[in-house]
Amino acid sequence: MHHRTETPAARPSDAERPAWLTGPCPDWCSSLHNASDHPEDRHHDGANESVELTTMDFVDYGAPGRPNYRPQVALMDLVQGYREVEPRVCVVEGSDRFVFYLPLAEAEEFAGHLLRLVAEARGETTPE
């Protein structure tokens, strides 16, 4: 899973920017970039959003004999490799059992379908 922070990172000046980072960070980036970043860590990350999945089986995070059940969580954030032209929406199940990346057009289509299904279930629209 990608490193996430909740507060925006300080924007490095042109002189402080690592050589591999050829332009300024997008406004939504909360990553701290260093010249020594491993190539796999050279990306922009946004603050994450999460949803507790309370109808899914809870996960035991406790020690043996001391259960501590908590709901599974779906996490979403923006991620963009330093050579990529646009960000993708990353959706991760909290224990990393599934991860998928959606280009912005696919994320928008997915969100539209999801909202339409919710509206139909609530009787707010008629099925197509």
Side-chain angles (χ1 to χ4, degrees), residues 106-120 128:
E106 290 175 5
E108 188 171 43
E109 181 180 1
F110 184 87
H113 292 313
L114 187 60
L115 289 172
R116 183 183 54 78
L117 290 171
V118 169
E120 284 181 17
E128 294 176 14

Side-chain angles (χ1 to χ4, degrees), residues 13-36:
S13 68
D14 288 342
E16 297 169 324
R17 188 179 305 136
W20 58 263
L21 191 59
T22 58
C25 288
D27 290 340
W28 50 265
C29 180
S30 60
S31 295
L32 297 174
H33 304 294
N34 295 300
S36 62

Side-chain angles (χ1 to χ4, degrees), residues 4 23 26 29-30 32 35 41 54-55 72 76 85 94 113 116 118-119:
R4 295 171 175 86
C29 180
S30 60
L32 297 174
D41 296 327
T54 57
T55 62
Q72 295 184 46
M76 296 143 278
V85 296
H113 292 313
R116 183 183 54 78
V118 169

Side-chain angles (χ1 to χ4, degrees), residues 22-105:
T22 58
C25 288
D27 290 340
W28 50 265
C29 180
S30 60
S31 295
L32 297 174
H33 304 294
N34 295 300
S36 62
D37 285 349
H38 188 277
E40 290 179 8
D41 296 327
R42 295 178 181 177
H43 56 268
H44 303 289
D45 275 312
N48 67 0
E49 301 290 340
S50 64
V51 175
E52 287 188 348
L53 307 174
T54 57
T55 62
M56 305 289 291
D57 289 338
F58 280 32
V59 177
D60 184 358
Y61 290 94
R66 299 184 73 183
N68 179 8
Y69 290 97
R70 290 185 269 162
Q72 295 184 46
V73 177
L75 303 167
M76 296 143 278
D77 75 344
L78 291 174
V79 63
Q80 181 177 355
Y82 74 104
R83 293 183 177 174
E84 295 175 349
V85 296
E86 75 173 12
R88 294 172 289 156
V89 175
C90 176
V91 179
V92 181
E93 185 272 328
S95 65
D96 291 340
R97 282 185 282 207
F98 73 81
V99 177
F100 59 94
Y101 294 88
L102 299 167
L104 298 180

